[in-house]
Amino acid sequence: MPSSRFDADRWQARLDELRAAHHVPGATLAVLAGGTIHELASGVLHRGTGVEVTTDSVFQSGSIAKVYTATLVMQLVDSGVLRLDSRVVDVLPGFAVADDEVTKSVTIGRLLSHTSGISGDFTHDTGRGDDCLARYVEACANVGQDCPPETVVSYCSTGYAILGRIVEVVTGQTWDDALRDRLLAPLGLEHSMTLPEEALRFRVAMTHLGELGTDPEPAPAWDMLPRSAGPYGRVLVTAADVVRFARMHLDGGTAPDGTRVLSAESAATMRRRVVDCLDVWSFMADGWGHGWALYDWDGVAGYGHDGAALGQFSYLRVVPESGVVAALLTNGGGATGLFVDLFQELLGELAGVRMPGAFAPAAEPRAVDVAALAGTYEREGVHLTIDERDGVPRLRWQLTGGMAEYSPPIEADLVAVSDTVLAMPGIGPVSAPWLPLVFGALPDGTPYVYLGMRAAPKIA
C-alpha cells in the first residue's frame, strides 16, 4: 500500500547514493506528499568550484518551460480572447510557415498538443531584445513540415515559440513579463525566472558535459539557447518551485491561498488526452494533452514533463490519485538513470505507481530486416541516414541549419529491439545510455522515423 509519509533521511541517503552512481554532479529533489513539500539537495553546482547544491539552487528546466507557456495560453482561453480552435493567423497577422495550407489552418490547440506537423527544432537566434519572439515568428516563414498536421504527434518547440509570441500580442507584454506577472507572482514562485541576469541573484547550477559513465566536466558555456527559446526551453527554477507550479494544476488551478490562477476546466483540458504516442520511450509518455505529457502506469493515470538544456536535465511527475508531485533537477551525467532508479522507488512507495524502466535493447539483440527500414529521413535541422554494415544497422545523424553548431555528425551502430524499433547508443549531450528510433507510416503510407519523438519522413 502506498504511504504518504516521507522519510527525509532515507530519501536523502538514496539521492546521494544514486547521484554518485550515475555520475551526476548535482541534483535537487522536491516532493509533495501528504500535503507537504519536502526538499533535498545533493552534490555540487560546479565541479570546478566545488560549490555545494542547496535546496534553493536554480537549475535550467529545459522543456518543462513548455507547460508554463501552455498555462499562460490557457489563461487567455479563460479570459475569452483565445480558443483552442483559434487560427494562429487570425491572432498573429502576417504569420506564415512554408506550407500555405498550414499557415491558413493551424490552430492554437494543434501547437499546444504537438500535432501541427510544423518542423519542431527551428533554433534561430534573433538577439536579446524584447522583439526577439516577433523576429523569430517572422523567420518561421521558411520553416517546413515534419509531417501533415493532425496525423501524428511530433514534438514541436517551434510551436511553443509561436505560442509565446501569441501571449505577447494578446497581453501587450513580453513573454518574460507575462510569465512573471500572470503566473510566477500569483503563485509566489520567487526562485523562478527566465533571464540569466535574473538567475545570478541565486546559487546557479553549471551545465556539465561528458561521456556517460564518467564524471562530466563544466561546459564551455552555461547556456547556448537564444532568448527566443524562452517559451519552449528556458524557465530557470528550483525543484520546489516546479512542484508548487504543478500543485496549482493538481488543485484545479488554484494557488495555496485560494487565488484562482487557472480555471478548473482549463487545468483539466491541459491534461486531457489529444493524441497517443507511438514512441512511448523518449518522454516515457503514451499520450499528450494540451501541454502535459500523459502516463498510464498499469492503470494509474499521471502527467508531467521532461526537460533538457544541453547538459541539464529535469523531470516532473504528478500522480493525481494520491496527490503526489515530484520534481528532479540535475546538471549533467547519467541523469536519466538517476531519475528512473529514484522515481521507481519514490513513486512506488508514495503513490503505488509502477513506473517503467529506461529504454534499452535486450541482452541478446534480435535479427531485423534492415532493408525495410533503410533510407534517408529528414526534418528541419536533422538529416538521418539508416543503412547497414556487415549486417548491422547503422545510423548517421547530422544536424543542419541553425542546429549545426550544436554537434558534429554522429555515426553509431544500432541494435534491433523489434521489427519497428532500433536502439541507438546515447552519444553526445544526452543523459541516457540508449535512445529509441521508432518506425511507422503516416496515414498516406509515407514511412517515417521518430528520434526524440520528432517525426522525420523518409525522403529517399
Side-chain angles (χ1 to χ4, degrees), residues 99-132:
D99 187 304
D100 289 340
E101 289 304 312
V102 175
T103 296
K104 297 173 185 176
S105 64
V106 68
T107 64
I108 288 170
R110 291 302 173 197
L111 296 182
L112 286 170
S113 59
H114 299 283
T115 55
S116 70
I118 295 171
S119 293
D121 290 326
F122 178 53
T123 302
H124 182 57
D125 190 347
T126 52
R128 286 274 302 166
D130 287 350
D131 63 347
C132 65

Side-chain angles (χ1 to χ4, degrees), residues 75 78 182-183 186-187 248-268:
Q75 286 179 333
D78 285 340
R182 296 167 181 265
L183 193 54
L187 290 174
M248 177 270 292
H249 280 271
L250 183 66
D251 290 342
T254 59
D257 65 359
T259 300
R260 172 63 63 182
V261 178
L262 189 68
S263 73
E265 180 181 356
S266 286

Side-chain angles (χ1 to χ4, degrees), residues 38 55 111 151 194 224 238 251 266 287 385 396 459:
H38 309 271
T55 55
L111 296 182
T151 53
T194 61
M224 292 182 65
T238 61
D251 290 342
S266 286
T385 302
R396 178 179 171 84
I459 62 171

Side-chain angles (χ1 to χ4, degrees), residues 56-60 191 193 199 202-205 236-238 312:
D56 62 352
S57 296
V58 171
F59 289 71
Q60 298 180 51
H191 286 74
M193 65 230 68
F202 306 104
R203 297 168 70 96
V204 180
L236 314 171
V237 292
T238 61
Q312 298 199 36

Side-chain angles (χ1 to χ4, degrees), residues 237-304:
V237 292
T238 61
D241 267 9
V242 175
V243 169
R244 293 184 185 101
F245 164 75
R247 185 178 194 173
M248 177 270 292
H249 280 271
L250 183 66
D251 290 342
T254 59
D257 65 359
T259 300
R260 172 63 63 182
V261 178
L262 189 68
S263 73
E265 180 181 356
S266 286
T269 295
M270 286 183 61
R271 60 178 183 265
R272 186 175 299 127
R273 185 176 295 259
V274 176
V275 62
D276 295 333
C277 297
L278 179 65
D279 175 2
V280 297
W281 298 282
S282 292
F283 286 84
M284 303 184 77
D286 60 88
W288 221 274
H290 287 106
W292 288 110
L294 307 178
Y295 316 102
D296 182 343
W297 298 300
D298 291 337
V300 179
Y303 56 94

Side-chain angles (χ1 to χ4, degrees), residues 17 42 55 120 133 192 223:
E17 178 184 8
S42 180
T55 55
L133 281 175
S192 298
D223 179 21

